[in-house]
Amino acid sequence: MNFNEERRSITHNRSRPRIRLGLMAGAIAAAAGLILSGCSGTSGSSTGGGSNTLTVWHYFSDPNQVKVMTDYADLFQKDNKGITVKNVYVPYDQLDQKLIASAGAKTGPDVVVFNGADASNLALAGTLAPLDAKWSSFADKGQFPESVVHKLNGKTYAVQGYVNLLGLWYNKDILDSLKITPPTTMDELNGALAKVKAAGKSGITLSGLPNSQGEWQAYPWLTAAGFDLSKPSTDALKTGFSTVADWVDKGYLSKEATTWDQTVPFQKFAAGGVAFAENGNWQLATAKSTAKFAYGVAPLPLGGSGKVYLGGEGEGIGAFSKNQDLAWKYLQETYYSSAGQLIALKDSGTIPARADTASNAAVTGDPLVKPFADSIKSMGANYPSDSVPPASVANQQLAGGQAWSSVLGGSSSPSDAAAKYKQALDQLLSAK
């Protein structure tokens, strides 16, 4: 799940709540009134316009991400004379419902920018047009890792132009004073945490909420212990949970993490006195404006099996757009182009999904951005996992978050939490 909590454009894109399939019919009825009344904060029709108007639905309210949308509109209109791009804001908690309702009425946007983890549910609800023919003929498709291509039943419905992911932020002043180099292995991290604690400093901050945010932050440490959602192992889960339980027992990590979303841990890190933070690229602006110490970022030290979810917004074409060719041209020239991904990086700190753009000096020359970009290829994993049936995604994330939080809070032992989560996965992964 990308990136302060009110910065909806980035922070929430990793692990937002999903519409459960059983509720979709109700969502259509509940959202019907929204279709009639239009979107909050916009004027004019919210459905696809004529051949010279391209309607783009999004949920961004943060100025940085709104600027991306505006810059994309300007870029496309400049290169396509006579075309008007109409960006339509729909509040995040209404977007999925509104898309489902519009599809029921055979209307909707030309382009939709949504939480990438909702791709399967939106595709199942008939809100997105398949992109197979367009994507297969896209000359640059080889620049995109499979982990950012969202498919359902073999069909492609959305692709992410950029990603948000977790890394290991570190307080360079603390590490330098203790002669610690940024850890590259779990053993090095545990050794560093011990030294930091002995020096009277706090070890690490992260989110331990019992929901999708917690599951998002648990996933790297569990996979580092050998956990694989495609073939879950109780032993691997127990090992992963034992690692973080040990951090709590030894005072490296506060039990209060069970009440922290992904914003609070970074605020505590940015205040100083904490050596490490598991957090994301969306904190770049916060670090720059808040931290009064030297800091850096390294890939999470997860070993050969460790993975990090690749969050971010997915971009697709509305199933009932009358401008699908124009919509595809817009996506190619904005979200999927190298120039467009550099715009998003500059405006809001998102990490380009394209391999060639990730090699651009704007990425490789920035010591805070490069570790995130490097992690995409070496450790990036689909979010949500392809191993989880679309109908089970929300419950899988909830079960994972609850297990993670129970271990950090001390209400469950690593072995009990592992057994409970494994039992839940056995049911959820077999769901049709």
Side-chain angles (χ1 to χ4, degrees), residues 63-312:
N64 294 322
Q65 198 68 22
V66 171
K67 188 175 189 305
V68 175
M69 302 299 298
T70 302
D71 286 349
Y72 279 177
D74 291 344
L75 174 67
F76 193 69
Q77 289 169 166
K78 177 183 177 182
D79 294 338
N80 297 271
K81 301 301 183 183
I83 299 300
T84 298
V85 176
K86 181 180 179 182
N87 290 323
V88 178
Y89 167 70
V90 185
Y92 172 77
D93 57 1
Q94 298 177 24
L95 180 62
D96 285 7
Q97 292 182 358
K98 190 174 175 70
L99 285 166
I100 293 166
S102 67
K106 299 189 184 313
T107 62
D110 297 309
V111 173
V112 56
V113 183
F114 59 92
N115 178 18
D118 288 339
S120 293
N121 278 351
L122 291 176
L124 284 170
T127 69
L128 302 174
L131 299 180
D132 299 276
K134 293 178 171 61
W135 184 250
S136 64
S137 62
F138 181 38
D140 292 347
K141 68 179 184 296
Q143 296 292 342
F144 292 77
E146 282 298 312
S147 52
V148 302
V149 180
H150 293 275
K151 297 181 179 181
L152 177 68
N153 298 327
K155 292 185 177 181
T156 299
Y157 286 93
V159 180
Q160 293 175 217
Y162 54 78
V163 297
N164 300 319
L165 66 156
L166 295 167
L168 187 69
W169 289 81
Y170 59 87
N171 184 317
K172 190 174 184 299
D173 289 349
I174 292 178
L175 266 58
D176 286 352
S177 70
L178 299 174
K179 296 181 171 53
I180 297 172
T181 57
T184 60
T185 67
M186 289 297 294
D187 286 344
E188 289 179 0
L189 175 59
N190 286 321
L193 289 170
K195 285 186 179 180
V196 169
K197 175 63 177 176
K201 303 292 184 180
S202 296
I204 189 169
T205 66
L206 49 78
S207 173
L209 284 180
N211 59 17
S212 58
Q213 286 197 54
E215 192 269 340
W216 167 272
Q217 294 221 316
Y219 182 75
W221 309 113
L222 297 179
T223 57
F227 173 67
D228 184 343
L229 267 169
S230 68
K231 44 181 184 298
S233 159
T234 304
D235 288 343
L237 285 171
K238 180 181 176 181
T239 300
F241 286 140
S242 294
T243 295
V244 294
D246 191 53
W247 291 352
V248 175
D249 291 343
K250 292 180 176 177
Y252 305 161
L253 172 65
S254 172
K255 282 187 178 181
E256 292 181 4
T258 58
T259 66
W260 297 341
D261 59 24
Q262 293 183 104
T263 301
V264 176
F266 199 79
Q267 291 173 339
K268 292 183 177 296
F269 170 77
V274 183
F276 301 104
E278 180 197 13
N279 226 294
N281 52 291
W282 55 89
Q283 302 291 6
L284 290 168
T286 300
K288 183 177 181 180
S289 64
T290 306
K292 306 303 181 186
F293 53 86
Y295 54 84
V297 180
L300 288 171
L302 304 178
S305 64
K307 300 292 182 183
V308 292
Y309 283 135
L310 298 184

Side-chain angles (χ1 to χ4, degrees), residues 40-58:
S40 172
T42 62
S43 60
S45 171
S46 61
T47 59
S51 60
N52 294 325
T53 300
L54 191 74
T55 303
V56 183
W57 284 12
H58 68 92

